[in-house]
Amino acid sequence: MSHPSPPATAPVEFTHRQILTILGGLMMGMFLAALDQTIMATATRTIADDLQGFDLQAWATTAFLITSTISTPLYGKLSDIYGRRPFFLLAIGIFIVGSFLCGLSDNMWQLAGFRAIQGIGAGGLMSLALAIIGDIVPPRERAKYQGFFLAVFGTASVLGPILGGFFAGADELLWLSGWRWVFFINVPIGLAAMAVVAKVLHLPHQRVNHRIDWPGALTLILGLVPLLTVAEQGRDWGWGSGRSIACYVVGVVGIIGFILAERAYKHEALLPLRLFSNRTVAVGAASSTILGMAMFGGLMTVPLYLQIVKGSTATMAGLQMIPFVFGIMAGSITSGQLISRTGRYRIFPIIGSSLMVVALFLFSRVGADTPLWQTMLVMVLMGLGLGSNMQPMITAVQNAVSPREIGVATGAVTFFRSMGGTLGTAVFLSVLFNVLPGNIASSYQEAAKDPAFQQAAADPAQQALLAQAKGGDALTDTSFITKLTDVVAHPFKVGFSDSVHVVYLMAFFIMLIGLIVVFFLPELPLQQRSAQQARAEDALKAEA
């Protein structure tokens, strides 16, 4: 039974002070998600070694990405119907529960399961924050407020590695293993975020009565989970094994079911198919998928390279990633200010994608003996590319759709970026661990011809460690590298660097396709009204 719509209300124009107050609540929620990513980047190796699962670490990342990917469009759609505030609070609450459970993990499989719960919360933190900004700030003015979000990412990117390294480096802290505080720290921050959001985030919302596309949600899960699982596990199972084939079949059936469900639900669908007839949305979705693959798939290996090849501690590896953060902030601030002044946005994703193509190619040339300052320069270039790409694409998509669909459109772009990130992480880590044993063995065969290596490797203690380096256990616990002499450890580092080159070359070719895609992005005039104003004015006209 359909309910009568409530009477339309006059559009509300938020003052600069009101916008800053609401931004305060959003920034707390976004800080949670941003801090979690940067802490995990530097602590993953320690956690994986402690839980005896370095070769299983992809599951902790993949489980988080799968659930955050699937939940993102749900948050967007439900918040369009019921309002943003309750779902933003729900997302923070789920994230807190998931974080607490992660801190209690006893093995890598438990950690992966609890990271999946965390991901359900994380799926709403980013997409809803971006949708709320679209609600209250006109596209042309959004650049003025980008700096505040960048301050959150910048702060989290500096604090995260330091905290991650501190916790990962502490054997015990308050009677618990130090790395467990990587997750427990989210609990007080999350509770503070909930309190702030509950107090300041009050947005006018006009209830829109729609059916909820549960068949679409279920078939999306049925389609994505098996395909993403086989992407990660295919190297162990065998790509043509019975389990892999079963995953392909179930995944394809799920995707076909999802498309049929979306066609049946039409404009009430979780991801309305007609949205993709809009060229800006179609280009935004394709570009975001490729960007996610290149970003997650390429950059997740940098902290591993810094720790394993360069011998950095977890804290140092995090601090060495700061040039990348500066690049993102510089790219975002510059593109944001220029968009606000000129009203033109199309050029920035093109420039950003070009910079990323160059950076990924340069990363593929970084070896075991490359000076660290050269690697850091490439990080800056990669950051500039990402900063010039992400926010302008969100602005373009939000500007191109109906104000009533800003949540589902923002959710769609974030969904495809997460989807790309999930695929990139699963596939690239799978490739990395697949080529790594062969490259390490080849490096040691080459090094065995060197008299200096023969002399160093003759030591009985080094021989025992060397057997571990060449064996299957090398990928379960990498802490033995620090006990090897430089001469004996060097071939292992060369083998790791050669394996990372394969990942970056793959990301380079994928990003080349992304560069071609963004050339199809149309340039539309940026609107001067916020989505909330446009919705209210349209409702008043309809009533009149």
Side-chain angles (χ1 to χ4, degrees):
M1 188 179 80
S2 63
H3 301 280
S5 296
T9 54
V12 177
E13 189 167 346
F14 291 92
T15 64
H16 177 65
R17 185 172 181 179
Q18 286 174 315
I19 291 171
L20 289 182
T21 304
I22 293 170
L23 271 177
L26 300 182
M27 287 162 66
M28 290 285 285
M30 291 185 85
F31 182 71
L32 263 180
L35 186 67
D36 182 73
Q37 289 174 4
T38 53
I39 277 187
M40 278 299 291
T42 50
T44 297
R45 180 191 173 196
T46 303
I47 295 169
D49 286 346
D50 192 58
L51 295 179
Q52 298 296 305
F54 188 79
D55 55 340
L56 297 175
Q57 65 168 308
W59 276 111
T61 308
T62 306
F64 178 91
L65 286 171
I66 286 173
T67 51
S68 62
T69 299
I70 291 169
S71 61
T72 294
L74 263 176
Y75 281 112
K77 188 66 181 180
L78 291 172
S79 69
D80 275 346
I81 300 172
Y82 299 108
R84 315 272 187 235
R85 184 173 180 266
F87 287 98
F88 198 55
L89 287 169
L90 177 67
I92 296 173
I94 294 172
F95 192 86
I96 291 171
V97 172
S99 297
F100 183 74
L101 292 172
C102 284
L104 301 177
S105 302
D106 289 325
N107 57 59
M108 215 59 189
W109 294 113
Q110 280 185 16
L111 180 65
F114 298 144
R115 285 279 285 166
I117 296 172
Q118 234 189 346
I120 295 172
L125 293 177
M126 290 293 180
S127 61
L128 288 182
L130 292 170
I132 291 165
I133 286 297
D135 282 337
I136 63 175
V137 183
R140 184 79 181 255
E141 301 299 311
R142 251 165 243 163
K144 293 180 182 177
Y145 300 97
Q146 278 184 29
F148 294 98
F149 285 121
L150 292 168
V152 169
F153 281 103
T155 305
S157 298
V158 174
L159 275 181
I162 295 170
L163 289 172
F166 171 71
F167 292 139
D171 291 334
E172 196 173 279
L173 204 62
L174 295 179
W175 310 286
L176 293 168
S177 299
W179 64 261
R180 296 185 186 276
W181 289 97
V182 164
F183 302 105
F184 288 146
I185 195 173
N186 288 333
V187 177
I189 296 171
L191 291 172
M194 283 187 88
V196 172
V197 169
K199 184 175 182 182
V200 304
L201 190 58
H202 297 285
L203 301 174
H205 177 70
Q206 184 133 5
R207 168 69 181 272
V208 182
N209 291 305
H210 281 308
R211 291 180 299 167
I212 298 174
D213 181 15
W214 292 117
L218 292 173
T219 49
L220 182 66
I221 293 168
L222 185 68
L224 289 187
V225 172
L227 292 178
L228 294 173
T229 301
V230 76
E232 202 287 323
Q233 287 297 297
R235 67 188 172 90
D236 291 329
W237 296 351
W239 298 105
S241 68
R243 281 188 286 185
S244 296
I245 291 169
C247 283
Y248 302 143
V249 172
V250 174
V252 170
V253 168
I255 289 172
I256 293 170
F258 176 70
I259 293 169
L260 293 174
E262 301 313 271
R263 286 184 64 183
Y265 272 72
K266 297 180 180 174
H267 65 281
E268 294 177 318
L270 188 64
L271 284 173
L273 297 181
R274 62 177 173 73
L275 264 185
F276 299 98
S277 63
N278 181 319
R279 198 166 114 194
T280 303
V281 177
V283 171
S287 169
S288 295
T289 305
I290 293 167
L291 186 74
M293 285 192 78
M295 179 173 68
F296 282 96
L299 281 172
M300 57 163 200
T301 53
V302 174
L304 289 175
Y305 167 83
L306 293 172
Q307 291 178 72
I308 291 173
V309 178
K310 291 301 180 186
S312 301
T313 62
T315 310
M316 278 304 299
L319 292 172
Q320 286 162 354
M321 292 289 285
I322 289 177
F324 171 66
V325 177
F326 284 144
I328 289 184
M329 293 181 72
S332 296
I333 291 170
T334 304
S335 61
Q337 291 300 319
L338 290 172
I339 289 170
S340 186
R341 288 176 192 170
T342 64
R344 303 181 72 84
Y345 57 80
R346 180 176 177 270
I347 187 64
F348 297 104
I350 293 172
I351 292 172
S353 297
S354 302
L355 291 174
M356 286 180 68
V357 165
V358 174
L360 286 166
F361 178 76
L362 293 175
F363 268 134
S364 75
R365 313 317 303 156
V366 170
D369 301 313
T370 303
L372 190 57
W373 64 269
Q374 290 183 14
T375 310
M376 287 180 166
L377 286 179
V378 184
M379 287 185 208
V380 174
L381 197 63
M382 186 76 174
L384 285 169
L386 278 169
S388 303
N389 216 326
M390 288 193 292
Q391 190 60 39
M393 192 60 77
I394 292 280
T395 300
V397 169
Q398 289 180 340
N399 181 64
V401 300
S402 156
R404 290 195 177 277
E405 294 182 321
I406 200 164
V408 74
T410 306
V413 174
T414 313
F415 163 76
F416 281 104
R417 187 185 299 154
S418 297
M419 183 70 195
T422 307
L423 283 171
T425 302
V427 172
F428 290 161
L429 272 182
S430 181
V431 169
L432 176 65
F433 287 123
N434 201 40
V435 300
L436 195 51
N439 284 336
I440 290 171
S442 298
S443 295
Y444 273 112
Q445 282 174 8
E446 191 64 31
K449 302 170 187 174
D450 181 8
F453 175 84
Q454 293 169 4
Q455 184 180 351
D459 181 89
Q462 291 293 300
Q463 282 181 350
L465 291 167
L466 197 54
Q468 188 177 350
K470 293 177 180 178
D473 293 340
L475 304 183
T476 304
D477 183 353
T478 60
S479 57
F480 70 89
I481 299 170
T482 56
K483 301 169 190 170
L484 290 170
T485 62
D486 290 343
V487 176
V488 178
H490 188 262
F492 187 94
K493 295 176 180 180
V494 171
F496 190 89
S497 298
D498 290 345
S499 304
V500 168
H501 291 169
V502 178
V503 170
Y504 282 119
L505 278 175
M506 286 176 66
F508 164 75
F509 286 114
I510 288 167
M511 200 60 221
L512 268 179
I513 299 169
L515 176 59
I516 294 167
V517 169
V518 293
F519 274 103
F520 292 93
L521 183 70
E523 182 96 64
L524 303 176
L526 288 174
Q527 298 174 33
Q528 302 286 353
R529 302 180 300 172
S530 70
Q532 179 275 138
Q533 287 174 309
R535 282 196 297 265
E537 288 170 11
D538 291 348
L540 286 172
K541 284 178 189 172
E543 259 190 17

